[in-house]
Amino acid sequence: MIKSPLQIARESYVPKMPSSLKGGIKIVEGKATESVADQADIEKMFPNTYGMPVLTFEPGDAKEYAAQNVGVILSGGQAPGGHNVISGLYDGLKKLNPENKLYGFLGGPGGLVDNQYIELTEDIVNHYRNTGGFDIIGSGRTKLEETEQYEKALVNCKELGITALVIIGGDDSNTNACVLAEYYKEKQAGVQVIGVPKTIDGDLKNEMIETSFGFDTACKVYSELIGNIQRDANSAKKYWHFIKLMGRSASHIALECALQTQPNITIISEEVEAKQQTLDDVVSYIANIVAKRAENGDNFGTVLIPEGLVEFIPAMKKLIAELNDFLAHNEEAVNALEGNKEKREFVAERISDESREVFVSLPNSIANQLMLDRDPHGNVQVSLIETEKMLIDMVKAKLKSMKKAGEFKGKFKGQPHFFGYEGRCAAPSNFDADYCYSLGNTASMLIGEGKTGYMASVRNLTAPSSEWMAGGVPVTMMMNMEKRHGEMKPVIQKALVQLNGAPFKKLVENREEWALNTNYMYPGPIQYFGPSEVCDLTTNTLKYEQQ
Amino acid sequence: MIKSPLQIARESYVPKMPSSLKGGIKIVEGKATESVADQADIEKMFPNTYGMPVLTFEPGDAKEYAAQNVGVILSGGQAPGGHNVISGLYDGLKKLNPENKLYGFLGGPGGLVDNQYIELTEDIVNHYRNTGGFDIIGSGRTKLEETEQYEKALVNCKELGITALVIIGGDDSNTNACVLAEYYKEKQAGVQVIGVPKTIDGDLKNEMIETSFGFDTACKVYSELIGNIQRDANSAKKYWHFIKLMGRSASHIALECALQTQPNITIISEEVEAKQQTLDDVVSYIANIVAKRAENGDNFGTVLIPEGLVEFIPAMKKLIAELNDFLAHNEEAVNALEGNKEKREFVAERISDESREVFVSLPNSIANQLMLDRDPHGNVQVSLIETEKMLIDMVKAKLKSMKKAGEFKGKFKGQPHFFGYEGRCAAPSNFDADYCYSLGNTASMLIGEGKTGYMASVRNLTAPSSEWMAGGVPVTMMMNMEKRHGEMKPVIQKALVQLNGAPFKKLVENREEWALNTNYMYPGPIQYFGPSEVCDLTTNTLKYEQQ
């Protein structure tokens, strides 16, 4: 393994931990819990893991723990700090009992089913402390949903003597972890299952899970880049930069980056949906700010766009649904036409008036993409839509007509950007390094204490790390019933941006000023060695939520 | 002005300086110089500034300097460290004589001609120390080439009592600075002109200018991102990331980033040209490595692509020239056709066989772009060509046919990236902060010593900064004659990547191993406060060149 100078220097960083995790612990049990909604349904589906109390660790006497073999799995998209969850888990297990062993299943949940694993030794773990990526054991997107998988996994666990599994993943993976916990408890299989809340998207959070790990680091990387681009915009004074940010459905990343960098325009999907805005509304909103800035001589600016935007515009959502339906039944007829122009016309004539209006308003390249780039199930691939370019084209067209009407006298040149892969595997910030290590350690304690169906929880995160509160939250507590693929399923509620929440309100308070003035903030790159006010702060989202 | 915590912490950084700049200086003159080529022509055009000696500063007695008003201009694209050149210049001037004044012309060379300026006071300068961007006075791309401009500028200088100008720019701006120096010296106008070598592209360098400022920081930002993406590639194991890097014609940035991150594939334009490779050669080279890695089960990887690539592929260069020519004469006929398909066919039938072959091999979107996206002069806009997407499409097509022939058994999914604006205005690394401050200081000394037609030079840059050698290099020394817009002009030779140079050789030595194995290096973000081996190193390019 080749290491950069920073990696080498960073290897020796010792993550800061809550005081309660430093010595022996005492578990304080809260009262019985209920799921956030659909209590009767959830209880029925999780008879063995429903209603358990929230657990809080407090300093206590050192105890002896029987030796256990534990398996760990990284599930889904990468998030900074995954390696620290594993090193925290490893160190925690060894502290509980030096005989404890940790196995890593390779390439995600699929590795558990297919029995692909390595034993994680001190030597291996040491190479990955405080590094980014999930490459220590790899990740994957196989979903653990079938009884056959659970049974295969159980055979593999038995073979290795594994009595506990830790699943590090997002809302779906943790839902599945809980189903697995219930299944193994029901059949008294002797395998505990503990979840750890991971995702850069920030949409796995609730009263007990203040933030998912990786969100802090990823937002800081994107904010570094946005800040650099803003400084460029403000120096060259000739481009509008349209910056799309990863984050799936929720706009948490766009919101947090906006609070860190103070761009001229930030689109929040949840607001677009709540206000029932059309694509034209969004385009007009941007074009009007471009025109107003131009009046001050400022023909430059920045726009932050959340990845999921198009799905939150009701008319676009309808268009996409209609296209999915229409193309499923008319693929041959469309393919038989030669040019894209003919194809677009053919489609436009055969969808609803409302959708046609949206469809013909789109730049040709985007309309083609909606028509032609479909996934193996025949659906439009929303995540591939280049929203940032689409908006540049549409704002340009809007400004052209505004110019004719005398409503715009400036210049407009757009530059598109899309950031996602740049931040998912960054080396964790101090916050994520500490938080993840604590989560891993917490998971080891929940295992030692014989718990299952719990998610590791570390709270009070805006306080100094010594005051963080570690413990466990029953996964069922975060669940409700939602329709998935036409069926009602128990799932962890996805946390979208709350329009009455403090972080969004902060944006609303400031956005008019940020739009017209140039109040850019330049956060710079993540620092690991400097003063605490530079290195140890976490997100504005957490700060405002906890104020 | 709103400042981030890092900006505040970084304000107090005191740039490290060569010992020779710390106290009084003594100037050591070298022997008379000659231009690198076309000596007779250059001497004839620069009778007053040709043949001057190289100047080296050595510690000497403190002297008294008469008070001077000085003007400073930022010219062309942003590069990290510009603000430190200005703060170094400001501090240097104040040290020479506290009565000295510094004026900043706004928005680039145009500000000098139009007399747009501010006085740069201690208070203003302090806000910008060690920050990125050129926003202190803005930059611009107006070229100082006309006598009328020189005369207007002179009137403006006289009005402000300015007796020296510092022009911070790339090769073209420094060429123009030297023409201006010659003009003012010829007419004894009493205004000195000093250049400072700026550009992230790294193509302004020679025996006396070891590197241009900003190259170090920009490459570090891009390498941070490439490293993060590589860690993601190696964790998810399902994408090939095609990463295009800014840098105009030269491939220095791609080469330096390759040495910092060890990607699977690096394309160097200068090599493509030297080997007279076709686009198909480049595509095959990439596809073959993709296929070989797939044999090892590695369906992921990274490819670095220099921005200027297409212009270095002889057949593409020819195609672009033919298209420029053809479209200039047949614009109406092309526009009269309705669909892009018809337009492409119309064009294809009317260009040379060789160019047609290339043209029809291109993905439609790229062929359309070549045909339709033209600049106000009617030329194809090479810088807008999405080479990264073009190569993904073409490699995909190549692999499809290789699959049919049984030569490829893996999977291929490409992800395009383009990095440029992300790095041009980053806060300078320690190296660039120190180097730029020293360059600014050196410029102030050259002014105090009454020099003109010189570029500030700081050398021995891989040694500790105390051992750096500061001085001045006659700009004429770096010049030769080149054809520009059909006319022979004196210009500073652009430094392309040397195929017999140590940095490129290092890539060649390693690239086979890097291609097949996964030897990724993850440099991480620029650090300002950590150990010296993390914070103070400069580029591999400089290291290998000076070894």
Side-chain angles (χ1 to χ4, degrees):
Chain A
M1 182 176 293
I2 302 137
K3 292 177 186 173
S4 68
L6 175 56
Q7 243 176 299
I8 294 165
R10 186 73 179 153
E11 257 173 359
S12 54
Y13 176 74
V14 180
K16 299 184 280 295
M17 285 231 281
S19 310
S20 60
L21 286 175
K22 285 178 187 160
I25 66 152
K26 175 178 83 180
I27 289 199
V28 179
E29 291 198 358
K31 58 182 193 307
T33 59
E34 300 235 305
S35 61
V36 284
D38 310 309
Q39 290 82 3
D41 289 329
I42 307 281
E43 181 165 14
K44 207 170 136 193
M45 302 178 93
F46 295 90
N48 298 285
T49 52
Y50 189 86
M52 301 185 297
V54 169
L55 308 175
T56 308
F57 299 163
E58 291 189 0
D61 298 329
K63 276 195 281 186
E64 289 206 356
Y65 293 90
Q68 277 187 281
N69 290 354
V70 176
V72 63
I73 298 162
L74 291 162
S75 179
Q78 283 73 248
H83 290 160
N84 270 32
V85 175
I86 292 179
S87 58
L89 175 64
Y90 178 87
D91 293 349
L93 288 171
K94 290 292 179 188
K95 202 175 87 180
L96 291 180
N97 188 328
E99 299 298 309
N100 281 347
K101 281 188 179 178
L102 180 62
Y103 293 95
F105 288 99
L106 303 177
L112 173 64
V113 179
D114 304 335
N115 208 26
Q116 299 293 314
Y117 65 88
I118 53 169
E119 189 188 336
L120 289 166
T121 59
E122 182 81 25
D123 188 48
I124 294 174
V125 171
N126 284 348
H127 283 305
Y128 290 88
R129 290 179 192 272
N130 312 310
T131 62
F134 278 9
D135 43 309
I136 187 170
I137 50 174
S139 185
R141 293 189 182 271
T142 303
K143 288 192 189 304
L144 292 181
E145 292 178 319
E146 309 292 334
T147 309
E148 198 193 333
Q149 294 173 314
Y150 304 162
E151 288 295 334
K152 275 195 186 169
L154 188 56
V155 171
N156 298 334
C157 286
K158 292 288 169 201
E159 209 167 273
L160 290 167
I162 285 176
T163 54
L165 288 171
V166 176
I167 297 179
I168 303 169
D171 51 349
D172 275 351
S173 304
N174 274 289
T175 294
N176 294 339
C178 190
V179 176
L180 189 64
E182 174 67 28
Y183 182 87
Y184 286 165
K185 195 156 180 196
E186 168 71 31
K187 68 179 289 179
Q188 299 186 315
V191 179
Q192 309 158 242
V193 184
I194 300 295
V196 178
K198 168 231 75 171
T199 172
I200 62 161
D201 303 338
D203 57 4
L204 170 47
K205 67 173 174 181
N206 49 53
E207 202 190 333
M208 304 306 295
I209 304 295
E210 297 180 355
T211 189
S212 52
F213 79 75
F215 177 68
D216 179 80
T217 306
C219 286
K220 281 174 176 159
V221 174
Y222 305 143
S223 294
E224 172 198 356
L225 302 180
I226 296 163
N228 288 356
I229 287 171
Q230 293 194 146
R231 195 127 209 177
D232 202 295
N234 193 26
S235 299
K237 299 188 189 292
K238 64 178 180 182
Y239 289 118
W240 271 88
H241 294 270
F242 283 58
I243 305 167
K244 186 172 72 176
L245 296 164
M246 227 180 220
R248 308 284 287 268
S249 301
S251 304
H252 296 292
I253 290 181
L255 177 56
E256 172 60 28
C257 291
L259 296 173
Q260 285 191 33
T261 62
Q262 308 189 175
N264 302 106
I265 299 173
T266 306
I267 308 294
I268 299 295
S269 303
E270 291 84 343
E271 183 186 26
V272 169
E273 188 178 48
K275 293 186 170 171
Q276 293 278 305
Q277 291 183 329
T278 63
L279 187 52
D280 187 61
D281 290 336
V282 174
V283 169
S284 296
Y285 172 67
I286 298 172
N288 283 328
I289 292 175
V290 171
K292 275 191 201 151
R293 284 180 63 81
E295 281 172 24
N296 303 334
D298 291 337
N299 290 301
F300 66 92
T302 45
V303 185
L304 302 193
I305 304 155
E307 181 180 35
L309 177 62
V310 292
E311 288 180 285
F312 281 77
I313 297 173
M316 279 293 284
K317 204 171 173 177
K318 189 173 172 214
L319 167 65
I320 290 168
E322 278 192 42
L323 286 176
N324 284 343
D325 189 53
F326 177 79
L327 293 167
H329 297 100
N330 297 278
E331 200 177 353
E332 271 183 40
V334 172
N335 287 344
L337 296 166
E338 212 185 342
N340 287 336
K341 191 162 173 282
E342 290 77 33
K343 289 179 186 179
R344 286 196 304 272
E345 285 167 359
F346 182 83
V347 169
E349 281 162 23
R350 287 161 179 82
I351 51 181
S352 70
D353 290 354
E354 193 194 338
S355 289
R356 180 182 318 115
E357 198 183 318
V358 179
F359 189 65
V360 301
S361 80
L362 297 172
N364 290 345
S365 58
I366 302 293
N368 292 346
Q369 210 172 17
L370 284 179
M371 224 171 31
L372 305 173
D373 279 358
R374 285 180 296 138
D375 71 13
H377 309 290
N379 293 321
V380 168
Q381 299 198 63
V382 179
S383 69
L384 294 185
I385 298 174
E386 294 181 299
T387 332
E388 66 283 18
K389 289 191 183 168
M390 178 181 82
L391 287 176
I392 288 176
D393 285 352
M394 297 181 80
V395 167
K396 200 172 170 180
K398 175 74 66 182
L399 288 168
K400 208 171 158 184
S401 66
M402 286 171 70
K403 193 161 236 173
K404 273 187 195 151
E407 293 158 12
F408 172 57
K409 296 189 174 68
K411 289 178 193 168
F412 176 77
K413 272 192 192 175
Q415 284 287 350
H417 306 266
F418 170 41
F419 297 131
Y421 299 100
E422 293 75 4
R424 304 196 317 176
C425 284
S429 61
N430 282 358
F431 173 81
D432 269 327
D434 300 347
Y435 180 47
C436 289
Y437 189 81
S438 294
L439 283 171
N441 231 276
T442 300
S444 73
M445 292 307 308
L446 291 169
I447 291 168
E449 294 286 341
K451 305 299 176 188
T452 191
Y454 275 88
M455 197 186 290
S457 155
V458 175
R459 292 181 291 144
N460 198 27
L461 294 171
T462 52
S465 44
S466 60
E467 298 166 28
W468 289 356
M469 289 159 56
V473 185
V475 180
T476 52
M477 187 185 171
M478 308 170 205
M479 287 190 175
N480 66 355
M481 300 296 291
E482 290 179 21
K483 209 172 198 173
R484 295 282 168 97
H485 303 291
E487 236 179 296
M488 290 307 283
K489 292 261 186 188
V491 296
I492 297 177
Q493 254 186 344
K494 210 181 257 303
L496 298 180
V497 168
Q498 299 292 318
L499 301 185
N500 57 3
F504 180 72
K505 280 184 181 164
K506 199 82 190 175
L507 175 70
V508 172
E509 267 169 40
N510 288 285
R511 65 181 164 188
E512 211 159 315
E513 200 197 324
W514 294 352
L516 300 188
N517 302 325
T518 301
N519 285 355
Y520 300 153
M521 185 91 99
Y522 312 119
I526 293 176
Q527 296 297 301
Y528 299 107
F529 306 99
S532 180
E533 69 274 17
V534 175
C535 298
D536 293 327
L537 295 186
T538 179
T539 57
N540 290 294
T541 301
L542 264 177
K543 183 174 79 180
Y544 295 131
E545 278 174 351
Q546 301 204 353
Q547 254 170 17
Chain B
M1 183 177 290
I2 301 137
K3 293 177 185 173
S4 69
L6 175 56
Q7 242 175 299
I8 293 164
R10 186 73 178 153
E11 257 174 359
S12 55
Y13 177 74
V14 180
K16 300 185 280 294
M17 287 231 280
S19 310
S20 61
L21 286 176
K22 285 177 187 159
I25 66 152
K26 174 177 85 181
I27 288 199
V28 179
E29 291 198 358
K31 59 182 191 319
T33 59
E34 299 235 305
S35 62
V36 284
D38 310 310
Q39 291 81 4
D41 289 327
I42 308 281
E43 181 166 14
K44 208 170 136 195
M45 301 179 93
F46 295 90
N48 298 287
T49 52
Y50 188 85
M52 301 185 297
V54 169
L55 308 176
T56 309
F57 299 162
E58 291 189 359
D61 298 329
K63 275 196 282 185
E64 290 204 358
Y65 294 89
Q68 277 189 281
N69 290 355
V70 175
V72 62
I73 297 162
L74 291 162
S75 179
Q78 283 74 247
H83 289 161
N84 269 31
V85 175
I86 291 178
S87 58
L89 174 64
Y90 178 87
D91 292 349
L93 288 171
K94 289 292 178 186
K95 201 175 89 180
L96 291 179
N97 187 328
E99 299 298 309
N100 280 345
K101 280 190 179 176
L102 180 62
Y103 292 95
F105 288 100
L106 302 177
L112 173 62
V113 178
D114 304 333
N115 209 26
Q116 299 293 314
Y117 65 88
I118 53 168
E119 189 186 336
L120 290 166
T121 59
E122 182 81 25
D123 187 50
I124 294 175
V125 171
N126 284 348
H127 283 305
Y128 290 89
R129 291 178 190 274
N130 312 309
T131 62
F134 277 9
D135 41 310
I136 186 170
I137 50 174
S139 183
R141 293 189 183 271
T142 303
K143 288 191 189 305
L144 291 180
E145 290 179 320
E146 310 293 333
T147 310
E148 199 193 332
Q149 295 173 313
Y150 305 161
E151 288 295 334
K152 274 193 186 171
L154 188 55
V155 171
N156 299 335
C157 286
K158 292 289 170 200
E159 212 167 89
L160 290 167
I162 286 175
T163 53
L165 288 171
V166 175
I167 296 179
I168 303 169
D171 51 349
D172 275 352
S173 304
N174 273 287
T175 294
N176 293 340
C178 189
V179 175
L180 189 64
E182 173 67 28
Y183 182 86
Y184 286 164
K185 193 156 181 195
E186 168 71 31
K187 68 179 288 180
Q188 299 186 315
V191 179
Q192 307 159 243
V193 185
I194 300 294
V196 177
K198 169 230 72 171
T199 170
I200 63 162
D201 303 338
D203 57 3
L204 170 49
K205 66 174 176 181
N206 50 52
E207 201 190 334
M208 304 306 294
I209 304 295
E210 296 179 355
T211 189
S212 52
F213 78 76
F215 176 68
D216 179 81
T217 306
C219 286
K220 282 174 177 159
V221 174
Y222 304 144
S223 294
E224 171 198 357
L225 302 180
I226 296 164
N228 287 356
I229 288 171
Q230 293 194 146
R231 195 126 209 179
D232 202 296
N234 193 28
S235 300
K237 299 190 188 292
K238 64 177 180 182
Y239 289 118
W240 271 87
H241 294 270
F242 283 58
I243 305 166
K244 185 171 74 176
L245 296 164
M246 228 180 219
R248 308 283 288 267
S249 302
S251 304
H252 296 292
I253 289 181
L255 177 55
E256 172 61 27
C257 290
L259 296 171
Q260 285 191 33
T261 62
Q262 308 189 174
N264 301 106
I265 299 174
T266 307
I267 309 294
I268 299 294
S269 303
E270 291 85 342
E271 183 185 28
V272 169
E273 187 178 48
K275 292 186 170 169
Q276 293 278 303
Q277 291 182 330
T278 63
L279 187 52
D280 187 60
D281 289 337
V282 174
V283 169
S284 297
Y285 171 67
I286 298 172
N288 283 327
I289 292 175
V290 171
K292 275 191 199 153
R293 284 181 63 82
E295 281 173 25
N296 303 334
D298 291 337
N299 290 303
F300 65 92
T302 44
V303 185
L304 302 192
I305 304 156
E307 180 181 38
L309 177 62
V310 293
E311 287 180 286
F312 281 76
I313 298 173
M316 278 294 283
K317 203 171 172 175
K318 190 174 170 213
L319 168 66
I320 290 167
E322 278 191 43
L323 285 177
N324 283 343
D325 189 52
F326 177 79
L327 293 168
H329 297 100
N330 298 277
E331 199 178 352
E332 272 183 40
V334 173
N335 287 344
L337 296 167
E338 211 184 343
N340 287 336
K341 190 161 175 281
E342 290 77 33
K343 288 179 187 179
R344 286 196 304 272
E345 284 167 0
F346 182 83
V347 169
E349 280 162 23
R350 286 159 179 84
I351 52 180
S352 71
D353 289 355
E354 193 192 341
S355 288
R356 180 182 319 114
E357 200 182 315
V358 179
F359 189 65
V360 301
S361 79
L362 297 172
N364 290 345
S365 59
I366 302 292
N368 291 346
Q369 208 172 20
L370 284 178
M371 221 170 34
L372 305 173
D373 279 358
R374 286 180 295 138
D375 70 14
H377 310 291
N379 292 321
V380 168
Q381 299 199 64
V382 179
S383 69
L384 294 185
I385 298 174
E386 295 182 298
T387 332
E388 66 284 16
K389 289 193 183 168
M390 178 181 83
L391 288 175
I392 288 176
D393 285 351
M394 297 180 82
V395 166
K396 199 171 171 182
K398 174 74 67 182
L399 288 167
K400 207 171 161 184
S401 66
M402 287 171 69
K403 194 159 233 175
K404 275 188 192 150
E407 293 158 11
F408 172 56
K409 295 189 175 66
K411 288 177 194 169
F412 175 77
K413 270 192 195 176
Q415 285 286 352
H417 306 266
F418 170 42
F419 297 133
Y421 299 100
E422 292 75 3
R424 305 197 315 177
C425 284
S429 62
N430 281 357
F431 173 81
D432 269 327
D434 299 347
Y435 179 47
C436 288
Y437 190 81
S438 294
L439 283 172
N441 232 276
T442 299
S444 74
M445 294 306 309
L446 291 168
I447 290 169
E449 294 286 340
K451 304 301 175 186
T452 192
Y454 274 88
M455 197 185 290
S457 156
V458 175
R459 292 181 293 144
N460 198 29
L461 294 171
T462 53
S465 44
S466 60
E467 296 165 31
W468 289 356
M469 290 159 56
V473 185
V475 180
T476 53
M477 187 184 171
M478 309 169 205
M479 286 190 175
N480 67 355
M481 300 297 290
E482 289 179 21
K483 211 173 196 171
R484 295 282 169 96
H485 304 291
E487 235 180 299
M488 291 306 286
K489 292 262 187 185
V491 296
I492 296 176
Q493 255 184 344
K494 210 181 257 301
L496 298 181
V497 167
Q498 299 290 318
L499 301 184
N500 58 2
F504 181 72
K505 281 185 180 163
K506 199 80 190 176
L507 175 70
V508 172
E509 266 169 41
N510 288 286
R511 65 181 163 189
E512 213 159 314
E513 202 197 322
W514 294 352
L516 301 188
N517 301 327
T518 301
N519 286 355
Y520 300 152
M521 185 90 100
Y522 313 119
I526 294 176
Q527 296 298 301
Y528 299 107
F529 306 99
S532 180
E533 68 274 18
V534 175
C535 300
D536 293 327
L537 295 185
T538 179
T539 58
N540 290 295
T541 300
L542 263 177
K543 181 174 81 181
Y544 295 132
E545 277 174 352
Q546 300 203 354
Q547 252 170 19

